[in-house]
Amino acid sequence: MTTDASAPARRTRLTPEREQELYGAVIDLLREVGYDALTMDAVATRTRSSKATLYRQWKSKPELVVTALKCTKPVHVENVDTGSLPGDLHELADRIGDGSDVDTPLIRGLAHASATNPDLAEAMRQHLIEPELSGVRQLLGRAADRGEIDAAVPAAEFMPHMMLGAVITRRLLEDVEVDAAFMHRYIDAVVLPALGIGRAR
Amino acid sequence: MTTDASAPARRTRLTPEREQELYGAVIDLLREVGYDALTMDAVATRTRSSKATLYRQWKSKPELVVTALKCTKPVHVENVDTGSLPGDLHELADRIGDGSDVDTPLIRGLAHASATNPDLAEAMRQHLIEPELSGVRQLLGRAADRGEIDAAVPAAEFMPHMMLGAVITRRLLEDVEVDAAFMHRYIDAVVLPALGIGRAR
């Protein structure tokens, strides 16, 4: 991996490798101190960057944090296309349940911090939430095109609430983190029947 | 309202009015400083009680906080019995959506604190979550007895996840707190169809 930490503030963009290195440091700091206590100074020191470089590239702490999270993060619904709705949802379950992909304590901490940091909330919405919602809409659109669901099925609007709600409430209610097996059962029991697919009663 | 703040540590239980006064002070402190920064000293000072009284009655900070929350709190599923499953769920929606009953920012803050305070998590489970889960089981049991749902419908297991998930994810995804109108739509679109009730596809 190329590191050019010694490079002075340049006009050119950072290399992808250097970006990844910076994002990794941001995530480490988030885990260590949390969002509120994380400073751009600490990121600059940890990564041997100048603060000018950080601000030129990412504009603000919330933008940097959210971009870092996006690059290490969850599910990337937009890349899921197995050819069937049940297939797509169970592929999502595998991605959500794979602890190496989704750092739920980290995300929960950021969700909590966003309640008192409007800039962070806006950055999360723009960079993390909206792309996933758009991916969900595409996934459901393909299912409607294939005739698997009625395009007007009322539950479609609540797909994001159903899926994210399962991830978040598992630990609150059961004191265990979500895993793929739980998500597979939840999809078969709740999501597909709500969309009008699955076992007859 | 009777106040006996000047009473020395007594063998008798506190009056219900005095208990309510203490719980109100605990909730105020939780809103002001959060769980981690709340101390039994501050509760004692605010309520002009002795710490001995507080510990004798509630044993620990998590027990006191959770008992206080329980007495100001949410939904009391166990008291919902309208005679039909849709009626019960929509009654829950009204209770959840009435902001005067459910203080979601406060609950979210406690949920977050519980991730790093196992004693708090245990107290929340015992005093807040388990009674509601028991209420949900009774509600579904009555629906099965009336023949409204199949007692073995797979979604029944996930009722708590569906309902709590909707409450929590509304703000994360839409940046607005949950209200009764949202819960009514969600129940008709997701919960009832998942349970095998409602519109044909």
Side-chain angles (χ1 to χ4, degrees), chain A residues 1 60 66 71 79 87 97 103 134 137 152 160 167-168 172 178 180-181 184 187:
Chain A
M1 193 191 291
S60 70
V66 167
C71 291
N79 301 332
D103 188 334
S134 167
R137 283 188 293 267
V167 172
I168 294 179
L172 287 177
V178 73
H184 288 304
I187 286 166

Side-chain angles (χ1 to χ4, degrees), chain B residues 95-114:
Chain B
R95 295 191 186 192
I96 291 169
D98 178 353
S100 65
D101 275 337
V102 186
D103 188 334
T104 46
L106 185 66
I107 293 169
R108 197 161 40 233
L110 281 173
H112 183 71
S114 74

